[in-house]
Amino acid sequence: METSFRKIDIDAYDEDVIQEEELYDADPRDPAQVLNDTKQKTSAVRGYLSKGDTAGALTMILTDPPYGPNVEQAKETNLSTLLTILGSTKSSEVSSVVKGLSQDAQDTLMKYLYKGMATSARSDANTSVLLSWHEKLTEVAGIGCIVRVMTDRRLV
Amino acid sequence: MSAPEVYNIAQVPITSHAFNANRSEVCVSLNSNEAQILGKQGSEWVAKETLSEHDKIITSIDWAPNSNRIVTASQDRNAYVWSQAPDPLTGQMIWKPTLVLLRINRAATYVRWSPNEDKFAVASGARAIAICSFDPESDWWVSKQLKKPIRSTVLSVDWHPNNVLLAAGSADMKARVFSAYIKDVDKKPQASVWGEKLPFNTVCGEYSSSSGGWVHAVGFSPSGDVLAFASHDSSITIVYPGAPAVITIKSMTLPYTTLVWTSEDSLVAAGHDCQPILFQGSETTGWKAVGSLDDTTAPKSSGGGRQSAVGRLNSAAFNTFRNADTRGQTSLPGMPGAGSGGESELMTVHQNTISTIRAHAGAPSQVTKVSTSGADGNLVIWTTNAVSGLVGRMSGLRM
C-alpha cells in the first residue's frame, strides 16, 4: 500500500488498532497442507483437461483456493493452473462454462481474473483472454460479483 | 399497481428522514448541520421549522411516534433530543433541544429510539454504541456504552421489540446482537431465541458478512426472532438464531445500504442500485429477491431511454465519452439541456443512492407502505405490494 504520504504512523499510537488478520477468518488448514492440496488439484485438473472437461477443471481449481499469509507458493501454483485452464478454453464455450459455476466459484474466478490482470508481466497471463472471460463473467454474475472481489479480504 | 409518490425536497442529498406518528410532518437533514421539519401542504412539503444546534453534519434522525420527540445524531459527536414546548414570549409551540452526554470521541453515525421510547441507541465511530436513558435529577440524557467486541465504526443499529436487545452492524464486517438492558429503565426481559440471562453488553450473536463487506444495515423481523443485515459485498444475510441457520443472498447489483422488514417473511432493501428490492422467504424455503418496487422498464421523464446493458456499464459517463468519441459531442452528464436528456437519467425513480428506508404505513407485521430518501434529494413513498418483475440483469439470479 502507498503510505509515503503519511509522515506519522498514527496506528502506532493506537493501543487498540484493528489488525489485518482480524478482518477475515483464517484458513483452518496449515500452509504445508494447503500447498499439498493445491498440487493435488493441479494434477487432477490436468486429468480433466485431457478429457476436455473445462467446467470440471474450473470447479476443481476454484474450490477452497489458497488465501491469506504464508501460502505464496500455493497461490502461485493455483493461479498458473487456472490461467492454463482459461487459455485452453475455446472462446465459444466460455459463456456456458461460466453459467455452470456456482455463485461462490464465480466470485473466486473473478478474483483470479483481476489477479491475472494485475500480474500481466507473467508469460502465461494473456490479457485478452482474461478480458474476454471478464466480459462473459460480468454478463452472468453482474457487477455484484466485482463488488465482492473488491470487499473480500481473503486475497487469492 | 399504484405509482409511487415522489417528492423532490432538495437538490442536495437527504442524509436522513423521519416521519411523525400521523405522517403529516417529516424531519429531514439536507447534508448539513441543520435538520428541517417539513409539513405537507397540498402535494408539496414546506419547511416549518429548523432545528439548529449541531456544529457538523447531521448523520441520523429518529422521531418517536408516541412521545413525539426527535433525536438527532451528528458528526460533531453530539446527540440532541428535541421536544415541543411553548415559547415563553409568543406561546407558540417550538422544538427545544436537550443535551445528551454521549462521551464518544468520534462522530455519531446512527440513532434509533427503543420501542418503548424510554431509551435510544447512538452508534458511533468510536467503536461504541451509547445507550441513552433520561436522568430526571439532572434533566439530561445519560449514556452507557456497549464497547466489546466492536472493532470498528458502528454503521447502524436496530431495536428488538422487547426493548432490551439491540442489533448493530459495523465496519468490521460483522453484525452483532447485544443486550442493552438498563437496570432502572427495563423490566427483566423474557427469555427469547437470543438468550435467557441478558445483563448489559451480553453478546447474543455475532455474524460475519459472507465476502467481508461493511455491514450497512441491520433489522430485526417484526417478531424479533430473525435478524437480517445488508453488507457492502452486495449481499443480504438472514439469520435464524434458533437452528442456527444463516441464509445469504448474493445480489448481482451494487450493494444495499438500508433495509426494512415489511412482514415476518419479507423485507425491502435499497441502496446504491437506486431502487427498492423486495425479498421474500422463510427458514425452510430459503430467501430470494422477488422484484423491484420500482418499474424500471421506462424512463421516468420524457427523453430517450437507454439500452439496458450489463449492470451500469452503459452509464451516463460511459455514454458521454462514447459520444465525444463517435459524434464529437462534448455535453456533460447532468447538465440541463445537455445531450438528449435521457442519457444521464437512470431508469429508476431515485436518481442516486438510497440512504434511508423506513416503514410508512401498516402494522410492523404487515407494512403496506415504505418511504425512501437518498442522495438525489428525493423523498419517495412506495406501496409494498406493487412489485414489478426483475428484468434483464436480475433474471440470471440464482440462490
Side-chain angles (χ1 to χ4, degrees):
Chain A
M1 197 166 70
E2 171 69 27
T3 51
S4 58
F5 63 91
R6 281 190 190 160
K7 296 206 169 56
I8 305 171
D9 178 13
I10 54 161
D11 286 347
Y13 298 90
D14 189 350
E15 290 168 8
D16 195 28
V17 68
I18 188 162
Q19 301 293 328
E20 182 75 25
E21 56 266 26
E22 292 178 70
L23 296 174
Y24 57 88
D25 299 326
D27 197 328
R29 302 171 290 179
D30 73 279
Q33 199 199 338
V34 171
L35 185 59
N36 204 8
D37 286 359
T38 310
K39 283 183 177 155
Q40 282 180 1
K41 272 196 267 178
T42 303
S43 53
V45 162
R46 282 203 202 96
Y48 280 113
L49 284 186
S50 63
K51 286 183 280 176
D53 184 0
T54 316
L58 258 189
T59 311
M60 168 64 87
I61 203 77
L62 294 175
T63 318
D64 297 332
Y67 68 90
N70 309 324
V71 288
E72 293 310 318
Q73 204 192 336
K75 285 183 184 178
E76 169 59 32
T77 312
N78 222 41
L79 176 63
S80 72
T81 314
L82 184 97
L83 290 172
T84 317
I85 304 174
L86 299 189
S88 62
T89 310
K90 287 197 206 86
S91 57
S92 54
E93 286 175 9
V94 171
S95 243
S96 61
V97 168
V98 165
K99 272 182 200 148
L101 293 174
S102 73
Q103 216 168 17
D104 286 338
Q106 288 173 346
D107 290 356
T108 314
L109 177 58
M110 190 61 100
K111 284 187 195 173
Y112 277 108
L113 293 181
Y114 278 106
K115 178 161 185 176
M117 287 190 253
T119 54
S120 58
R122 311 164 53 104
S123 56
D124 55 351
N126 184 340
T127 329
S128 73
V129 171
L130 293 176
L131 279 171
S132 74
W133 275 84
H134 183 272
E135 183 190 359
K136 296 284 187 295
L137 183 54
T138 313
E139 276 173 20
V140 174
I143 36 184
C145 180
I146 301 174
V147 172
R148 282 187 282 278
V149 171
M150 291 195 283
T151 57
D152 205 337
R153 303 291 181 118
R154 289 171 295 181
L155 301 179
V156 293
Chain B
M1 156 172 172
S2 57
E5 302 168 43
V6 185
Y7 306 100
N8 186 251
I9 305 288
Q11 297 304 314
V12 293
I14 299 177
T15 22
S16 186
H17 80 272
F19 280 91
N20 67 351
N22 64 13
R23 310 295 188 228
S24 60
E25 289 179 333
V26 63
C27 186
V28 293
S29 176
L30 304 175
N31 209 25
S32 74
N33 61 341
E34 292 179 339
Q36 285 185 329
I37 306 226
L38 310 177
K40 196 165 187 189
Q41 283 186 2
S43 60
E44 297 275 306
W45 291 94
V46 257
K48 288 173 118 177
E49 201 170 331
T50 303
L51 312 182
S52 46
E53 193 72 27
H54 286 291
D55 297 330
K56 292 207 161 55
I57 285 175
I58 292 177
T59 49
S60 185
I61 302 172
D62 198 22
W63 197 325
N66 301 320
S67 54
N68 198 32
R69 287 181 300 205
I70 298 172
V71 59
T72 54
S74 155
Q75 290 176 0
D76 65 9
R77 298 169 286 143
N78 280 322
Y80 289 103
V81 174
W82 304 78
S83 43
Q84 267 187 319
D87 189 334
L89 295 177
T90 61
Q92 276 185 319
M93 294 296 272
I94 53 164
W95 289 93
K96 291 264 191 188
T98 316
L99 182 66
V100 182
L101 298 176
L102 283 183
R103 298 182 294 117
I104 51 174
N105 56 6
R106 297 285 188 279
T109 52
Y110 202 85
V111 65
R112 281 295 177 268
W113 284 102
S114 72
N116 294 354
E117 303 176 12
D118 48 6
K119 296 192 288 189
F120 58 88
V122 182
S124 86
R127 299 170 180 171
I129 306 162
I131 309 295
C132 306
S133 56
F134 192 67
D135 175 12
E137 280 179 29
S138 321
D139 191 29
W140 58 29
W141 292 78
V142 291
S143 69
K144 211 173 161 188
Q145 293 187 352
L146 292 170
K147 277 198 160 153
K148 284 185 174 166
I150 303 167
R151 298 297 292 142
S152 188
T153 301
V154 182
L155 298 167
S156 63
V157 294
D158 191 46
W159 285 95
H160 189 278
N162 73 1
N163 208 50
V164 168
L165 291 170
L166 183 77
S170 162
D172 57 12
M173 294 83 164
K174 291 205 167 60
R176 300 185 178 87
V177 177
F178 292 103
S179 162
Y181 176 77
I182 303 280
K183 205 168 63 185
D184 298 334
V185 177
D186 291 308
K187 290 194 289 271
K188 209 166 174 295
Q190 288 188 331
S192 70
V193 286
W194 299 99
E196 289 172 9
K197 284 200 171 152
L198 300 167
F200 188 76
N201 210 155
T202 312
V203 181
C204 306
E206 189 175 67
Y207 309 95
S208 292
S209 80
S210 62
S211 301
W214 294 12
V215 178
H216 284 296
V218 286
F220 278 113
S221 71
S223 70
D225 291 346
V226 192
L227 178 74
F229 61 92
S231 52
H232 200 77
D233 55 358
S234 285
S235 73
I236 296 224
T237 306
I238 322 278
V239 178
Y240 292 88
V246 176
I247 300 169
T248 301
I249 314 159
K250 291 184 175 185
S251 137
M252 292 179 67
T253 61
L254 292 175
Y256 303 110
T257 56
T258 180
L259 64 84
V260 64
W261 286 78
T262 51
S263 72
E264 197 59 35
D265 55 4
S266 62
L267 62 89
V268 178
H272 294 291
D273 196 37
C274 310
Q275 52 179 325
I277 305 284
L278 181 71
F279 291 86
Q280 276 180 341
S282 71
E283 188 174 0
T284 44
T285 60
W287 280 73
K288 62 176 185 178
V290 178
S292 172
L293 301 188
D294 201 341
D295 179 16
T296 54
T297 49
K300 290 303 180 277
S301 65
S302 61
R306 66 184 169 88
Q307 289 294 309
S308 153
V310 174
R312 222 134 309 116
L313 292 180
N314 194 5
S315 69
F318 179 86
N319 286 335
T320 303
F321 286 110
R322 194 186 54 192
N323 289 343
D325 181 36
T326 58
R327 298 185 219 161
Q329 290 177 353
T330 53
S331 63
L332 290 168
M335 273 177 64
S340 58
E343 299 257 320
S344 64
E345 196 181 347
L346 301 178
M347 306 287 261
T348 50
V349 169
H350 274 290
Q351 292 293 303
N352 207 329
T353 299
I354 298 173
S355 50
T356 314
I357 186 165
R358 279 169 169 277
H360 190 74
S365 58
Q366 197 58 54
V367 174
T368 53
K369 284 182 177 183
V370 293
S371 60
T372 57
S373 66
D376 57 350
N378 282 340
L379 178 68
V380 184
I381 296 165
W382 313 81
T383 39
T384 53
N385 57 8
V387 177
S388 68
L390 294 173
V391 286
R393 58 210 161 111
M394 296 294 284
S395 61
L397 196 71
R398 285 197 313 269
M399 290 315 125

